[in-house]
């Protein structure tokens, strides 16, 4: 996410759930609904979970608890393997938190960016 710095010194990552296909580099207006935590060899990383603002499939999703439980499990599974595909490192799913925690993580990352 532009204008943020995560605890790892890089911009925060966000996973945006949407029903329409998109391409790398496309900006999507999104609403933060939660945060997924992954364990890496360097520590724990936050990955913001969002839904596309104009996607009617997610118009009633405002917090992680609004998603079906299997979707939340799929997100955890995705983060278990995505670094393996990228650079061969392993990660672990360390759970998810809802919107309030995600908003705090985002605010802290924006503050870190302002200080950098």
């Amino acid at each position: 996410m532009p204008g943020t710095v995560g605890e790892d010194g890089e911009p925060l990552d966000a996973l945006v759930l949407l029903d329409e296909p998109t391409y790398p580099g496309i900006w999507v207006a999104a609403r933060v609904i939660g945060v997924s935590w992954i364990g890496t060899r360097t520590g724990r990383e936050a990955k913001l979970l969002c839904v596309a603002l104009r996607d009617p499939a997610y118009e009633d999703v405002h917090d992680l608890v609004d998603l079906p439980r299997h979707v939340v499990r799929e997100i955890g599974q995705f983060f278990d393997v995505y670094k393996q595909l990228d650079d061969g490192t392993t990660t672990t799913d360390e759970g998810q938190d809802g919107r309030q925690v995600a908003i705090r993580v985002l605010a802290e990352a924006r503050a870190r960016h302002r200080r950098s």
Side-chain angles (χ1 to χ4, degrees):
M1 292 190 69
T4 65
V5 174
E7 290 183 10
D8 62 356
E10 295 184 20
L12 281 181
D13 292 328
L15 174 71
V16 181
L17 302 174
L18 60 146
D19 282 350
E20 295 296 321
T22 188
Y23 304 93
I26 299 295
W27 288 67
V28 176
R31 173 175 53 249
V32 175
I33 63 164
V35 60
S36 192
W37 300 100
I38 65 166
T40 68
R41 59 183 154 81
T42 59
R44 190 168 91 147
E45 288 183 22
K47 307 294 184 184
L48 294 181
L49 305 176
C50 307
V51 294
L53 282 180
R54 293 177 187 86
D55 190 333
Y58 297 102
E59 68 185 355
D60 295 326
V61 177
H62 298 277
D63 204 318
L64 196 60
V65 298
D66 298 331
L67 288 176
R69 186 70 199 140
H70 76 275
V71 172
V72 176
R73 287 193 304 265
E74 287 175 0
I75 291 168
Q77 179 67 27
F78 169 78
F79 284 125
D80 270 347
V81 298
Y82 98 109
K83 284 271 193 184
Q84 287 177 336
L85 300 174
D86 184 36
D87 63 10
T89 61
T90 58
T91 60
T92 57
D93 173 20
E94 295 195 0
Q96 294 86 17
D97 285 306
R99 184 175 189 277
Q100 290 303 317
V101 173
I103 295 296
R104 187 182 75 234
V105 168
L106 179 57
E108 291 169 356
R110 286 179 172 158
R112 241 182 256 108
H113 180 264
R114 285 191 300 272
R115 290 189 302 265
S116 63

